[in-house]
Amino acid sequence: QVTLVESGGGLVQAGGSLRLACTASGRSLSSLSMAWFRRAPGKEREIVASIRWPTTTPYYTRFVKGRFTISGDNAKNTLYLQMNSLKPEDTAVYYCAASMGIFPPRSEYNYWGQGTQVTVSS
């Protein structure tokens, strides 16, 4: 069983930065495929970034590539999402997710955090 706890959301002005953190328990970060998803109001949940830390090249959706960075700290068993140059359209609830699989499809992320709200004002 894997438990994920997120932190770091909040309110920020456009152009600002936030860092989200997701601490995993039950399995080591390096044994999991990890991802950040988000759900904006009125929209479906979408994947933002994913990685199997530290061995794989990260994936980013084109909407955040160049602005967001996914990374991990094995000693803290924590996944991060550094979000820079934030835009109002980045406003969403952000979720950390984990899968035991390697390069899993989105449907196989079966461990989820509680979500953290990110609001970007214009």
Side-chain angles (χ1 to χ4, degrees):
Q1 185 69 19
V2 177
T3 302
L4 304 173
V5 178
E6 299 136 347
S7 61
L11 173 64
V12 65
Q13 288 189 332
S17 297
L18 283 173
R19 188 177 77 160
L20 306 183
C22 170
T23 300
S25 59
R27 292 287 293 258
S28 65
L29 198 67
S30 59
S31 71
L32 298 167
S33 294
M34 302 293 297
W36 289 97
F37 289 76
R38 67 185 181 187
R39 176 172 282 161
K43 295 187 178 181
E44 293 187 355
R45 185 175 60 198
E46 62 175 351
I47 191 167
V48 175
S50 64
I51 195 168
R52 192 173 182 93
W53 182 262
T55 57
T56 65
T57 301
Y59 160 82
Y60 300 98
T61 177
R62 62 185 178 90
F63 300 110
V64 309
K65 199 167 187 178
R67 299 188 296 122
F68 290 11
T69 302
I70 189 171
S71 65
D73 184 331
N74 285 338
K76 296 181 178 179
N77 223 40
T78 297
L79 181 78
Y80 300 99
L81 184 69
Q82 177 67 44
M83 304 185 294
N84 298 329
S85 302
L86 282 161
K87 304 176 181 180
E89 51 264 43
D90 294 319
T91 295
V93 179
Y94 283 72
Y95 298 90
C96 173
S99 170
M100 303 289 192
I102 300 175
F103 302 115
R106 298 173 190 184
S107 60
E108 290 187 10
Y109 284 93
N110 47 7
Y111 299 101
W112 293 87
Q114 79 282 6
T116 185
Q117 177 70 47
V118 171
T119 302
V120 184
S121 63
S122 57

